[in-house]
Amino acid sequence: MDGNGRANIGSGFFAQAPPGAAPRMPTAAELAQQAFSKMKLEAPKVGSAPPPGSKGLIGMPVWMWVVKSDTTWGPQSTTASAGGLSVTATAKVTGIDWNMGDGQSVHCATPGTPYDPSAGKKDSPDCGYRYTKVGEYAITATTTWVVTWTATNGETGTLANQTRTAQTTARVGELQVVN
């Protein structure tokens, strides 16, 4: 490319902008998309108690949480700039929806609390469930990311929500008491 935004192609040239015109600068919204494209939004890294592979009991609490990081829960910010304009995009999870595999779902506004054995048989303080039937259940956890942006020229906006999904399983049994 020469200094006028033209690429030499053989004996002719290709002009990105009309000769003598300044090249078109991206808009704030376009820079927001560029900033967003640099982000790494991952599926939730799911934790649960009882953990996958072990068996829980009907009516006992199941604790659910997401291992929180900037790529699994946020917030996460990146910036894109061009021609004196900078736009910073910020992504953060607004909640997680758990499809429990038995026709029920749970919405949690927080990443949940990892199980602490000292809690015993208490319910999770912010993200839990109790199964009512024996079975093996496929659980789907879906985080919803909201991406907002702010430009140095005062413009702001929101990009389309993004979702990421992970799966785990729960095995639920029944305690039999023998006299």
Side-chain angles (χ1 to χ4, degrees), residues 14-164:
F14 171 75
Q16 291 182 335
R24 185 184 87 71
M25 299 307 296
T27 66
E30 290 168 338
L31 286 174
Q33 272 302 133
Q34 286 179 22
F36 171 69
S37 70
K38 298 178 192 177
M39 291 183 182
K40 183 177 181 185
L41 308 182
E42 296 179 344
K45 290 181 177 38
V46 174
S48 65
S54 64
K55 192 178 273 191
L57 295 173
I58 291 175
M60 294 298 290
V62 176
W63 287 44
M64 304 172 302
W65 66 91
V66 172
V67 177
K68 189 177 172 184
S69 73
D70 62 340
T71 60
T72 60
W73 193 265
Q76 184 179 153
S77 294
T78 58
T79 300
S81 301
L85 178 63
S86 291
V87 176
T88 300
T90 301
K92 62 182 176 179
V93 172
T94 58
I96 185 164
D97 291 302
W98 300 83
N99 177 323
M100 301 308 296
D102 64 351
Q104 300 297 313
S105 61
V106 175
H107 175 79
C108 299
T110 70
T113 302
Y115 179 70
D116 179 348
S118 69
K121 298 174 185 166
K122 293 180 185 174
D123 286 334
S124 167
D126 54 0
C127 194
Y129 187 70
R130 289 179 184 253
Y131 283 98
T132 60
K133 295 180 183 172
V134 172
E136 186 162 332
Y137 301 99
I139 301 172
T140 303
T142 303
T143 50
T144 301
W145 292 81
V146 171
V147 184
T148 58
W149 57 268
T150 304
T152 54
N153 66 1
E155 290 182 64
T156 62
T158 302
L159 301 178
N161 288 351
Q162 304 289 314
T163 59
R164 301 294 186 267

